[in-house]
Each structure stands twice: as C-alpha cells, then as structure tokens.
Amino acid sequence: TETFANEIQKKKLELVAGDIRAFNPSKLKTSYKLVANIPYYITGEIIRTFLTAKKKPASMTLLVQKEVAERIARSKKESLLSISVKIFGTPKYEFTVPRGAFVPAPNVDSAVLSISAIRSPFRSQKAESVFFDLVRAGFAQKRKLAAKNLRIVAKKEHVDEAFAALGIPLNARAEDISLAAWQSLSEALPRT
C-alpha cells in the first residue's frame, strides 16, 4: 500500500487482499496480466483457473517450483499439465531463482514461468470437455501405452484407426504425443 500509494490514489492500481482462488476475473473492466509468486501447492489450480476463465489474462508470469516450470516449458516429454498450458498459450522458462534467494530458504529451487499469447482455442464448452477428457484418459496410467489408456473414452478399433491416420505409433506413451496430435485425436475419435 505504501509502495504503490501514488498508483492507488490515481486509480491505476487496486489492491485486493484475499484468496486468489475466490477472485473472479470477469469483474475486471479492462484486460489484465497475472504476475504472482504463488503457493506452490496450488500452482496447477491457479494456472487452470485463469487459463480456462471466460476473461483470460493477456499473459501470466509466475514464480513456481523449478521442476514444474521445466515440465511445462522445457521438457521434450509432455505431461497433463504441459498439454493443458500449451493448448491455451505459449509457456517459456524465463530464469531460475535459487533457493538461497529466499529467507528462510525452501528445499527447492524456483523459476519464473511466463505464459504468453493466451487464447481461447475451443469452439465450444463441449469441444473443451472432449479434449480434456481425452487427454486425462491418455495420461490416466503413465506406464501404459496411450492407445490402451484411450479405450476409456473410445473403442479400440477407433483408437487404432485414428492413430494410424495421424501417424502416431500404437506403442506411443501419452508423454510422447504432441499437442497437435492430441488436438487431432480429440476431433478424430468418436465417443463411446
């Protein structure tokens, strides 16, 4: 309040004290950017809440656990979280913040993760549900092949046909399937 007293007085900044999970971005009159040092145990929840909100931020810049930032932005292997972020925007690992930068020092290193070019990629709520049901099924059992996991949401013959048509090997694991291939699968697979 003291540091930004001038901005607050000029109505350029409004400070809201409370739980970010209870905040409704639809109430904002202008576009916004989400910049935060968030509690690590709710990282996924906060990212999901704002990327799926009707009024999405223009960008997000978050201090998160280093391993989470790497998994989202740097890993060659996909995860449910990385796919969930990439469908809505472009993640980038900005830089590492070592544990020694904090007092008291936590047990893990941190990193700044940015998400830019945030968009609404789905034509409808149903298309979004279909996509995420498919991706969740694909990652349901990490050690199983994606084609076997997808039998939760589609018949075996449909999964095999879609994989063949899209050039996805039947022995691929969910982590090896690209975002573009997940998008194509969600459009190609008929639901059981």
Side-chain angles (χ1 to χ4, degrees), residues 163-177:
F163 271 54
L166 296 169
I168 302 170
L170 282 174
N171 65 348
R173 298 201 185 282
E175 63 189 13
D176 299 318
I177 299 175

Side-chain angles (χ1 to χ4, degrees), residues 23 25 51 53 57 94 129 169:
F23 179 73
L51 289 181
E94 297 290 349
S129 293

